[in-house]
Every structure is written in C-alpha cells, then in structure tokens.
Amino acid sequence: MRAQLNARSLALLPSQPAPPASHSLFGSIELMGASMTFKKGAEIYGENEPADYVYKLISGTARSYQILNDGRRQIQDFYFPGDIFGLEAGPEHASSTEAMSDVSVLVVRRSAILSAATRDSDVASQLWAYTSRELHHARNHAMLLVKTAQERVASFLLQLAERCTGNAVELPMSRQDIADYLGLTIETVSRTLTQFQDEAAIELPSSRRVVLRNRLALNNLNA
Amino acid sequence: MRAQLNARSLALLPSQPAPPASHSLFGSIELMGASMTFKKGAEIYGENEPADYVYKLISGTARSYQILNDGRRQIQDFYFPGDIFGLEAGPEHASSTEAMSDVSVLVVRRSAILSAATRDSDVASQLWAYTSRELHHARNHAMLLVKTAQERVASFLLQLAERCTGNAVELPMSRQDIADYLGLTIETVSRTLTQFQDEAAIELPSSRRVVLRNRLALNNLNA
DNA sequence: CGGCGCCTTGAACCAAGTCAAGCTCTGTGG
DNA sequence: CCACAGAGCTTGACTTGGTTCAAGGCGCCG
C-alpha cells in the first residue's frame, strides 16, 4: 500500500540550479520535480517519516490526518489540484497523507526549495506565505471544532462551495471523511444533511452531490 | 481600554539598517523595536486591525482569541515571556490579543522584519520557522478539541508543565480562560480538575496552583 | 440479480452543558 | 483587626446534543 520514494525514484530528481523566480512557490523550481502517481487509498507519506519531499497535487484528491491513541482519525485538510502539501519545517511529517482517488503529484525535494529560498527572497517569501495560509486554515478548523454540528456542516459546505462556481457541490469524500474532518460521527453528519434538506437549505440529488438552495440560511449557521 | 499605536509612538521606532543576522527572529532587529506596556485586560491589537506591528512579550501573560457570532470566545493561544505574537502574512490581524496581566512588550514594524528578510536569508528562514511552529501548535490545538474533557484538561496541564521545572504548575489564567481554550465550560474544567485530584493525579493547593502527582496517569489521557 | 459498501434512520444512552446555589478567597473600609 | 462585598471557583441537580448500537435502504459493479 505504501508508495516508496527509494533510491531509484530519487535518481529521477535532478538537482540543477533554480531558474529565475516566479510568483508561485513551485513555479521557480517545479521544473526540477518528478511526477508520481498514487492509487486510491495509497499513503503518500506517513507520520514521523522524514519530511524530505514536498508535493503539488496535479489531479485527484488527498487527505491529511493524524490518528489519536484511541484509534480515532482526525482529518486536518483535504487537498485539491493545485494545492501544495507535505511542507514541514521540522525533520519529520507531523501527519499522514493519503490519496482519496487515483492521484498524480509533482514531487520536489524540500532541500531544493530551502536552498532556492536562501538564494531568492521571492521564494522565501512564498514559502512563508504558504505556511501562513496553512496556519489560517488550521485556526479556522479549530474554530469549527467548537461549534454545533449544524454549524460545522454548514461551514464545511460553504467552504467547499468556495472552490466551485454555481451552487452544485461535488463531494469527493465519504461521510466518514466528512465526519473525521468535522469531529462528528457519520450518523450526525448524515442526519444534519437530511435536516438541511428538510429545511430546504440544500438538495441532495445523490449522496455525493449537494446543491445549495439557501446560502443565507447556511451562512447564519456559519458562526 | 484600547492601547494606541499612533503617530506619536511610531516616531519612537527608528528605521535604521538591520545589524548582522543572529539566530532569533527578533535578534537581528529587536534593537529597532520600541518598548510598550499594557495594563491587565487591555487589548494589544484587535481582529481586523492592520497587522503593522509584531510583538515580543517581555513580561506578563497574554491571550489571543476570536469571538464566534454567538458571542463565545475561543482562545487560540497563551503567550509567555519570550514569545513572539501578532505576526501575520495578511494585511489584518485574524484574532485579537489581550494582556492577561500587566504586560511589557517589544514592538517592531512588520515591514522592518519583512524587508530584513529580503536582505538576509537567515531572517527569512526564522520567519518561516516561527510560522511553522505556530502551525504545529494550531494543529495540535485542533486535535485537542476533538478529545474528551478529561483528555483536554490532562493535555493542557502537561503542556503547561513543559514550561516549568518540577511538578508545580502556576496557572496564570482563570478557569474561564482555560475553558475557552479547551472548548469546554468552566464547570466542566472545575469538575475535571477535582476529579483528577480525587484520583490523586494532581493536587490543588490553591485554584491557581497545580502539582502534578501522577504524570503517567495524565499522559495516558493525553491521546 | 445478488452481494457489498456506503448511507440513512430509529431508539436508547451518556458526556458535557445549563441553571442554580453556595463556598472561598481577596481586597477594602470602618 | 474584623466585617463585608464581590469576583472567581466548586458542587449539585437536571437537561440536551451528539454518540452508540442496531436495523434497513440504496446504488453500483461483477
């Protein structure tokens, strides 16, 4: 199940000097990256593994999570195409990341990014901005976790809807994934969605498809 | 109540070139900072205010928090002497920070730090490392918020104990502060502490003083 | 068309919240 | 030095939102 980045695949990563800076963190160095694919359910990296690589999601969806000592899984983030993940300041990954579908990623050595950052202050600035955005996300997530079930689900739907145009939202994750992201059980997520449908705030044409009918009602719950 | 950084106080902040880099983020530039004091309960900065200054806590204790639309307060972090706070990548503060006691801080213009970072890659690297540490803290905090009350309180005590030597922990914050940090009510915090005392895991010689008697028992709860 | 994941629904239960006293410091003024 | 007031903390009784446990439905793929 675990995809390996072994000496063989490492040979695919050339270490040439970075081209001139661009505005995206990966922009200036992504030509150095290798492309990799992971099957649905495969682990891209695991907690406590050396954080030697940074990933940019090209296609598919991924989730990062930690496991509590009682076995519960807390999902920290979902990643969509264009998202960067796996970047850590410490030597090891603090969470695991899995492919939720077949996934293709661009892989770059962390050391390449760090050394580019010492040479190019634009890269350094992007590095900081990226981590800062993650920090905001993590704090918003923490705010979510003290709300009621209705507020959590409403916030989640609105958050997903931001990535879409129109009111139709495709859910690339299962009810269990949603529950583990929101700190609820699948039953509560399911009941809450049904309740929103009963209140005509949303429609559920299928279990993986949500149409927002009354954004205002959801927003009122979005503490 | 609100302490102001007005044109007058700004004049106190010279903008000379940074001295050679050191290992601390503030190290290389803190000579540029102005010292300020805040009375207990005073707001150091508020949510949505321009994030033009960065603070280093010299003495006292501070808390950063957000208010939910139902009026509940979620504390994100407590700051102790030596801690840096108020550093944001975005233009505005995403949370408010208040003095929990009389406080003295060193204040530096964010722009001074950012421009130092473009000149000196060590500063840039410290900037990133600092934000990355905050990110870890925020994610750990999110993990806390899905645990049981006992686990949250135990984790909190152990977390505070890390800053102390020995088993005696001084609590610089009220039960309400603890509750708002842990996403619980004061009653639950109080009951849980009493329960730990009944189980001989801690002693409570006074309400603001905790002695850890059985760290192992607490650690077993520390998911 | 049958089997298996995934999702929904119902009923009972429980951890934490709410509401309401009462207690314990601490500081203040007589 | 003591009486008192007020804030902060604890404790008890009751309520409740969300979990747990259990059953059943739906849809998808071989």
Side-chain angles (χ1 to χ4, degrees):
Chain A
M1 198 54 120
R2 171 79 181 87
Q4 290 294 334
L5 270 179
N6 52 28
R8 190 83 140 281
S9 53
L10 293 192
L12 296 171
L13 304 173
S15 59
Q16 55 205 309
S22 97
H23 279 299
S24 121
L25 176 55
F26 263 46
S28 53
I29 43 184
E30 66 188 5
L31 298 174
M32 303 172 59
S35 168
M36 286 187 76
T37 61
F38 294 88
K39 292 272 174 213
K40 175 173 174 164
E43 187 178 60
I44 299 174
Y45 58 80
E47 199 175 332
N48 299 325
E49 287 180 15
D52 294 337
Y53 300 95
V54 180
Y55 305 82
K56 180 172 182 170
L57 190 53
I58 302 303
S59 68
T61 327
R63 59 180 166 240
S64 75
Y65 62 92
Q66 286 184 347
I67 302 292
L68 295 167
N69 64 355
D70 63 357
R72 280 217 331 294
R73 178 183 68 159
Q74 177 62 35
I75 293 184
Q76 290 178 341
D77 211 349
F78 295 110
Y79 299 112
F80 298 96
D83 288 348
I84 288 165
F85 60 94
L87 179 58
E88 308 259 350
E92 294 177 355
H93 289 294
S95 52
S96 306
T97 296
E98 278 178 2
M100 292 163 67
S101 60
D102 286 1
V103 141
S104 111
V105 293
L106 205 61
V107 187
V108 177
R109 277 175 192 267
R110 184 178 72 147
S111 61
I113 293 179
L114 296 191
S115 77
T118 61
R119 276 178 271 111
D120 181 341
S121 72
D122 281 358
V123 173
S125 156
Q126 289 297 321
L127 201 59
W128 178 54
Y130 161 77
T131 302
S132 199
R133 242 176 290 124
E134 291 273 288
L135 175 58
H136 272 94
H137 174 83
R139 285 182 170 160
N140 284 336
H141 192 197
M143 295 298 287
L144 248 196
L145 296 177
V146 299
K147 301 183 191 176
T148 65
Q150 292 184 33
E151 289 167 340
R152 296 188 212 192
V153 174
S155 303
F156 177 71
L157 292 176
L158 290 169
Q159 187 184 308
L160 276 185
E162 278 172 25
R163 297 188 171 257
C164 308
T165 57
N167 287 323
V169 181
E170 197 71 34
L171 304 179
M173 68 291 283
S174 69
R175 293 289 185 273
Q176 188 65 61
D177 286 334
I178 299 174
D180 288 351
Y181 180 74
L182 298 180
L184 299 169
T185 59
I186 46 173
E187 291 95 332
T188 300
V189 172
S190 183
R191 278 187 248 270
T192 305
L193 287 171
T194 306
Q195 186 198 339
F196 285 169
Q197 189 173 31
D198 292 348
E199 295 165 357
I202 64 172
E203 268 173 67
L204 286 163
S206 84
S207 73
R208 296 294 185 107
R209 188 158 250 284
V210 182
V211 182
L212 307 190
R213 278 288 162 231
N214 187 350
R215 270 180 134 95
L216 193 58
L218 295 176
N219 235 318
N220 288 338
L221 288 170
N222 185 26
Chain B
M1 198 58 117
R2 171 81 181 88
Q4 291 293 335
L5 271 178
N6 51 28
R8 190 83 140 282
S9 51
L10 293 191
L12 297 172
L13 304 173
S15 57
Q16 56 206 310
S22 98
H23 280 296
S24 120
L25 176 56
F26 262 47
S28 53
I29 42 185
E30 65 188 5
L31 297 175
M32 301 172 59
S35 168
M36 285 186 78
T37 60
F38 294 88
K39 290 274 174 211
K40 176 174 175 164
E43 187 178 61
I44 299 173
Y45 57 80
E47 200 175 332
N48 300 326
E49 288 180 14
D52 292 337
Y53 300 95
V54 180
Y55 304 83
K56 179 172 181 169
L57 190 53
I58 302 304
S59 69
T61 327
R63 60 182 166 239
S64 74
Y65 63 91
Q66 287 184 347
I67 301 293
L68 294 167
N69 65 356
D70 64 357
R72 280 217 332 294
R73 177 183 70 160
Q74 177 61 37
I75 292 183
Q76 291 178 340
D77 211 349
F78 295 110
Y79 299 112
F80 299 96
D83 289 347
I84 289 165
F85 60 94
L87 179 57
E88 308 258 350
E92 292 178 356
H93 288 294
S95 52
S96 306
T97 296
E98 278 178 3
M100 292 163 66
S101 60
D102 286 2
V103 141
S104 109
V105 294
L106 205 60
V107 187
V108 177
R109 277 176 192 264
R110 184 177 72 147
S111 61
I113 293 180
L114 296 190
S115 78
T118 62
R119 278 178 270 112
D120 181 340
S121 71
D122 280 359
V123 172
S125 157
Q126 289 297 322
L127 201 60
W128 177 54
Y130 161 78
T131 302
S132 200
R133 241 176 291 124
E134 291 273 289
L135 175 57
H136 272 94
H137 174 83
R139 284 183 171 158
N140 284 337
H141 193 198
M143 295 298 286
L144 249 196
L145 297 177
V146 299
K147 300 184 191 176
T148 64
Q150 291 184 33
E151 289 167 340
R152 295 188 213 192
V153 175
S155 303
F156 177 70
L157 292 177
L158 291 169
Q159 186 186 310
L160 275 185
E162 278 172 26
R163 298 188 172 257
C164 308
T165 57
N167 287 323
V169 181
E170 197 70 35
L171 304 179
M173 68 290 283
S174 69
R175 293 289 184 273
Q176 188 63 63
D177 286 334
I178 299 175
D180 288 350
Y181 181 74
L182 298 179
L184 299 169
T185 59
I186 45 174
E187 291 95 332
T188 299
V189 171
S190 183
R191 277 187 248 271
T192 306
L193 287 171
T194 307
Q195 186 198 338
F196 286 169
Q197 188 173 33
D198 292 348
E199 296 165 356
I202 64 170
E203 267 173 68
L204 285 163
S206 83
S207 72
R208 296 294 186 106
R209 189 158 249 280
V210 182
V211 182
L212 308 189
R213 278 286 163 231
N214 187 350
R215 273 180 131 96
L216 192 58
L218 295 176
N219 235 318
N220 287 338
L221 288 171
N222 186 25

Short mmCIF file of all heavy atoms in Angstrom, two decimals, chain A residues 169-171 175 193 197 202-211, chain C residues 7-8, chain D residues 26-28:
data_model
loop_
_atom_site.label_atom_id
_atom_site.label_comp_id
_atom_site.label_asym_id
_atom_site.label_seq_id
_atom_site.Cartn_x
_atom_site.Cartn_y
_atom_site.Cartn_z
N VAL A 169 -22.32 21.37 -5.54
CA VAL A 169 -21.04 20.97 -4.95
C VAL A 169 -20.90 19.46 -5.04
O VAL A 169 -21.79 18.72 -4.62
CB VAL A 169 -20.95 21.41 -3.47
CG1 VAL A 169 -19.61 21.02 -2.88
CG2 VAL A 169 -21.20 22.90 -3.33
N GLU A 170 -19.80 19.04 -5.62
CA GLU A 170 -19.47 17.62 -5.70
C GLU A 170 -18.65 17.28 -4.45
O GLU A 170 -17.69 17.97 -4.15
CB GLU A 170 -18.66 17.38 -6.97
CG GLU A 170 -18.59 15.94 -7.41
CD GLU A 170 -19.93 15.46 -7.96
OE1 GLU A 170 -20.66 16.27 -8.58
OE2 GLU A 170 -20.23 14.26 -7.77
N LEU A 171 -19.06 16.25 -3.73
CA LEU A 171 -18.28 15.84 -2.56
C LEU A 171 -17.33 14.72 -2.94
O LEU A 171 -17.77 13.60 -3.20
CB LEU A 171 -19.21 15.35 -1.44
CG LEU A 171 -20.30 16.29 -0.94
CD1 LEU A 171 -21.13 15.62 0.14
CD2 LEU A 171 -19.71 17.59 -0.43
N ARG A 175 -18.87 10.10 3.77
CA ARG A 175 -19.43 10.64 5.02
C ARG A 175 -18.43 10.45 6.17
O ARG A 175 -18.34 11.30 7.06
CB ARG A 175 -20.72 9.92 5.37
CG ARG A 175 -21.85 10.20 4.41
CD ARG A 175 -22.37 11.61 4.54
NE ARG A 175 -23.53 11.83 3.70
CZ ARG A 175 -23.49 12.22 2.44
NH1 ARG A 175 -22.32 12.45 1.85
NH2 ARG A 175 -24.60 12.39 1.75
N LEU A 193 -27.35 16.67 7.30
CA LEU A 193 -27.59 16.94 5.89
C LEU A 193 -29.08 16.74 5.58
O LEU A 193 -29.70 17.55 4.88
CB LEU A 193 -26.73 16.03 5.02
CG LEU A 193 -25.23 16.38 4.99
CD1 LEU A 193 -24.43 15.29 4.27
CD2 LEU A 193 -25.00 17.73 4.32
N GLN A 197 -31.82 19.45 4.22
CA GLN A 197 -32.68 19.20 3.06
C GLN A 197 -34.14 19.44 3.45
O GLN A 197 -34.89 20.09 2.71
CB GLN A 197 -32.48 17.77 2.56
CG GLN A 197 -33.16 17.51 1.23
CD GLN A 197 -32.82 16.14 0.68
OE1 GLN A 197 -32.59 15.20 1.43
NE2 GLN A 197 -32.79 16.03 -0.63
N ILE A 202 -30.66 22.93 1.40
CA ILE A 202 -29.89 22.23 0.36
C ILE A 202 -30.77 21.18 -0.32
O ILE A 202 -31.86 20.87 0.17
CB ILE A 202 -28.65 21.49 0.96
CG1 ILE A 202 -29.09 20.37 1.93
CG2 ILE A 202 -27.71 22.45 1.65
CD1 ILE A 202 -27.97 19.47 2.40
N GLU A 203 -30.25 20.66 -1.42
CA GLU A 203 -30.82 19.47 -2.05
C GLU A 203 -29.74 18.41 -2.13
O GLU A 203 -28.56 18.74 -2.32
CB GLU A 203 -31.28 19.78 -3.48
CG GLU A 203 -32.71 20.20 -3.59
CD GLU A 203 -33.00 20.65 -5.00
OE1 GLU A 203 -32.97 19.80 -5.92
OE2 GLU A 203 -33.22 21.86 -5.19
N LEU A 204 -30.13 17.16 -2.03
CA LEU A 204 -29.19 16.06 -2.12
C LEU A 204 -29.59 15.12 -3.26
O LEU A 204 -30.13 14.05 -3.02
CB LEU A 204 -29.17 15.27 -0.80
CG LEU A 204 -28.48 15.91 0.39
CD1 LEU A 204 -28.89 15.26 1.69
CD2 LEU A 204 -26.97 15.81 0.22
N PRO A 205 -29.33 15.53 -4.51
CA PRO A 205 -29.72 14.68 -5.64
C PRO A 205 -29.05 13.30 -5.56
O PRO A 205 -29.61 12.32 -6.03
CB PRO A 205 -29.26 15.47 -6.86
CG PRO A 205 -28.36 16.53 -6.36
CD PRO A 205 -28.67 16.76 -4.93
N SER A 206 -27.88 13.23 -4.99
CA SER A 206 -27.25 11.94 -4.68
C SER A 206 -26.38 12.17 -3.46
O SER A 206 -26.17 13.30 -3.05
CB SER A 206 -26.43 11.43 -5.87
OG SER A 206 -25.14 12.02 -5.83
N SER A 207 -25.85 11.10 -2.89
CA SER A 207 -25.15 11.28 -1.62
C SER A 207 -23.84 12.05 -1.78
O SER A 207 -23.34 12.64 -0.83
CB SER A 207 -24.90 9.93 -0.95
OG SER A 207 -23.90 9.23 -1.62
N ARG A 208 -23.29 12.07 -2.99
CA ARG A 208 -22.03 12.79 -3.20
C ARG A 208 -22.23 14.13 -3.90
O ARG A 208 -21.29 14.71 -4.44
CB ARG A 208 -21.07 11.93 -4.05
CG ARG A 208 -20.63 10.64 -3.37
CD ARG A 208 -19.79 10.93 -2.14
NE ARG A 208 -19.26 9.68 -1.57
CZ ARG A 208 -17.98 9.32 -1.67
NH1 ARG A 208 -17.11 10.07 -2.28
NH2 ARG A 208 -17.57 8.18 -1.12
N ARG A 209 -23.47 14.58 -3.93
CA ARG A 209 -23.77 15.80 -4.67
C ARG A 209 -24.70 16.65 -3.81
O ARG A 209 -25.72 16.15 -3.33
CB ARG A 209 -24.46 15.37 -5.96
CG ARG A 209 -24.71 16.40 -6.98
CD ARG A 209 -24.87 15.74 -8.36
NE ARG A 209 -23.73 16.06 -9.18
CZ ARG A 209 -23.57 17.27 -9.77
NH1 ARG A 209 -24.48 18.20 -9.62
NH2 ARG A 209 -22.50 17.53 -10.49
N VAL A 210 -24.33 17.89 -3.62
CA VAL A 210 -25.15 18.80 -2.81
C VAL A 210 -25.43 20.05 -3.64
O VAL A 210 -24.51 20.58 -4.27
CB VAL A 210 -24.41 19.22 -1.52
CG1 VAL A 210 -25.28 20.13 -0.66
CG2 VAL A 210 -23.98 18.01 -0.73
N VAL A 211 -26.67 20.50 -3.64
CA VAL A 211 -26.99 21.78 -4.26
C VAL A 211 -27.40 22.75 -3.17
O VAL A 211 -28.33 22.46 -2.40
CB VAL A 211 -28.12 21.63 -5.30
CG1 VAL A 211 -28.40 22.97 -5.96
CG2 VAL A 211 -27.76 20.58 -6.34
P DC C 7 -20.76 7.36 1.92
OP1 DC C 7 -20.48 8.42 0.94
OP2 DC C 7 -19.97 7.22 3.15
"O5'" DC C 7 -22.31 7.45 2.33
"C5'" DC C 7 -23.29 7.38 1.30
"C4'" DC C 7 -24.63 7.16 1.93
"O4'" DC C 7 -24.66 5.85 2.54
"C3'" DC C 7 -24.99 8.14 3.04
"O3'" DC C 7 -26.03 8.99 2.57
"C2'" DC C 7 -25.42 7.27 4.23
"C1'" DC C 7 -25.59 5.89 3.59
N1 DC C 7 -25.33 4.71 4.47
C2 DC C 7 -26.39 3.88 4.82
O2 DC C 7 -27.52 4.15 4.43
N3 DC C 7 -26.14 2.81 5.62
C4 DC C 7 -24.90 2.54 6.04
N4 DC C 7 -24.71 1.46 6.81
C5 DC C 7 -23.80 3.37 5.67
C6 DC C 7 -24.05 4.44 4.90
P DT C 8 -26.70 10.07 3.53
OP1 DT C 8 -27.34 11.07 2.66
OP2 DT C 8 -25.73 10.47 4.56
"O5'" DT C 8 -27.86 9.23 4.25
"C5'" DT C 8 -28.92 8.69 3.45
"C4'" DT C 8 -29.93 7.99 4.33
"O4'" DT C 8 -29.30 6.89 5.01
"C3'" DT C 8 -30.58 8.85 5.42
"O3'" DT C 8 -31.98 8.76 5.22
"C2'" DT C 8 -30.13 8.21 6.73
"C1'" DT C 8 -29.84 6.78 6.31
N1 DT C 8 -28.82 6.01 7.09
C2 DT C 8 -29.19 4.86 7.72
O2 DT C 8 -30.32 4.42 7.71
N3 DT C 8 -28.18 4.22 8.38
C4 DT C 8 -26.86 4.62 8.47
O4 DT C 8 -26.03 3.95 9.08
C5 DT C 8 -26.53 5.84 7.78
C7 DT C 8 -25.12 6.36 7.80
C6 DT C 8 -27.51 6.48 7.13
P DC D 26 -34.96 2.75 -0.61
OP1 DC D 26 -35.94 3.86 -0.56
OP2 DC D 26 -35.32 1.42 -1.16
"O5'" DC D 26 -33.69 3.28 -1.38
"C5'" DC D 26 -32.78 4.16 -0.74
"C4'" DC D 26 -31.44 4.02 -1.40
"O4'" DC D 26 -30.70 2.94 -0.80
"C3'" DC D 26 -31.49 3.74 -2.91
"O3'" DC D 26 -30.82 4.80 -3.55
"C2'" DC D 26 -30.80 2.38 -3.05
"C1'" DC D 26 -29.92 2.33 -1.81
N1 DC D 26 -29.54 1.00 -1.26
C2 DC D 26 -28.18 0.71 -1.08
O2 DC D 26 -27.33 1.54 -1.41
N3 DC D 26 -27.83 -0.50 -0.55
C4 DC D 26 -28.77 -1.38 -0.21
N4 DC D 26 -28.38 -2.55 0.32
C5 DC D 26 -30.16 -1.10 -0.37
C6 DC D 26 -30.50 0.08 -0.90
P DG D 27 -30.93 5.03 -5.12
OP1 DG D 27 -31.06 6.49 -5.34
OP2 DG D 27 -31.89 4.07 -5.70
"O5'" DG D 27 -29.46 4.60 -5.57
"C5'" DG D 27 -28.34 5.10 -4.86
"C4'" DG D 27 -27.08 4.34 -5.27
"O4'" DG D 27 -27.03 3.06 -4.60
"C3'" DG D 27 -27.00 4.04 -6.77
"O3'" DG D 27 -25.65 4.19 -7.13
"C2'" DG D 27 -27.43 2.57 -6.85
"C1'" DG D 27 -26.83 2.04 -5.56
N9 DG D 27 -27.42 0.84 -5.02
C8 DG D 27 -28.76 0.48 -4.98
N7 DG D 27 -28.96 -0.66 -4.37
C5 DG D 27 -27.70 -1.07 -3.99
C6 DG D 27 -27.31 -2.24 -3.29
O6 DG D 27 -28.01 -3.16 -2.86
N1 DG D 27 -25.91 -2.27 -3.10
C2 DG D 27 -25.03 -1.30 -3.52
N2 DG D 27 -23.75 -1.51 -3.25
N3 DG D 27 -25.40 -0.21 -4.17
C4 DG D 27 -26.74 -0.16 -4.37
P DC D 28 -25.19 4.67 -8.57
OP1 DC D 28 -24.90 6.12 -8.46
OP2 DC D 28 -26.13 4.15 -9.59
"O5'" DC D 28 -23.79 3.92 -8.72
"C5'" DC D 28 -23.04 3.62 -7.53
"C4'" DC D 28 -22.36 2.27 -7.68
"O4'" DC D 28 -23.18 1.21 -7.14
"C3'" DC D 28 -22.06 1.89 -9.14
"O3'" DC D 28 -20.71 1.48 -9.19
"C2'" DC D 28 -23.04 0.75 -9.41
"C1'" DC D 28 -23.15 0.11 -8.03
N1 DC D 28 -24.38 -0.67 -7.77
C2 DC D 28 -24.27 -1.90 -7.07
O2 DC D 28 -23.15 -2.28 -6.71
N3 DC D 28 -25.39 -2.62 -6.82
C4 DC D 28 -26.59 -2.16 -7.23
N4 DC D 28 -27.66 -2.91 -6.94
C5 DC D 28 -26.72 -0.93 -7.93
C6 DC D 28 -25.61 -0.22 -8.20
#
